[in-house]
Amino acid sequence: MNLTEWARTQGVHPQTAYRWFREGTLPVPAQRVGQRTILVNIETRTAPEVVDGLGLYARVSSHDQKSDLERQVARLSEWAAKAGHRVVRVEAEIAAGTNGCCSKARRLLADPAVTCVVVERKDRLGRMNVDLVEAALSATGRRVLVLDDGEVEDDLVSDMVEVLTSFCARLYGRRSAKMRAKAALEAAERGRPAPD
């Protein structure tokens, strides 16, 4: 069976399976037999691997995307149920992914019962440094599973997106601080407390 067929039978996106193959973390034996063909040996393992400590995480950036947040949670839960995995924690939040203020993501990552964090897309876990989170989890025998790994795989493009996101976060943070300082000065001139 080729890698794409195997991935679909396991409920995993084919690009995620290919990434696992490249990293050497594919849970079944596989070998490259041509430039584009990877064959999976399913005779040694026919049943999908059941993960016991699944943590599902969904995130959107603003309150007007709340319906998308609910759809993300539903899709993640449906995938886990179809694959037969045991979900130990589900976290969903409305927060910006540019800074480290995702409190529910931190709780999920800190939970030792969660051995595998499942997100719909990599940018749901954070806009920057997701690779560092993956490396830290990997060091403790845990991992991040991205269901829809259809994002651009080009390292240069993803690096540029992270740099631009970082610059935008700094700019918006400065602009926000500047506006708060301006409001405080205006309030001080009028003799009343500044709004938060």
Side-chain angles (χ1 to χ4, degrees), residues 1-10 12 16-32 38-50 143:
M1 168 182 294
N2 74 27
L3 186 63
T4 302
E5 292 170 358
W6 176 85
R8 291 199 174 114
T9 63
Q10 302 302 308
V12 176
T16 300
Y18 180 66
R19 181 170 38 96
W20 289 349
F21 174 75
R22 280 192 334 251
E23 295 171 351
T25 58
L26 193 67
V28 293
Q31 63 182 3
R32 186 179 295 273
I38 298 171
L39 291 181
V40 175
N41 183 0
I42 58 170
E43 294 173 12
T44 58
R45 184 179 220 155
T46 55
E49 179 185 348
V50 175
R143 68 178 182 171

Side-chain angles (χ1 to χ4, degrees), residues 57 59-62 93-99 101-103 124:
Y57 180 71
R59 182 190 61 78
V60 293
S61 300
S62 62
E93 69 182 321
I94 299 170
T98 55
N99 54 20
C101 294
C102 298
S103 61
R124 296 300 88 198

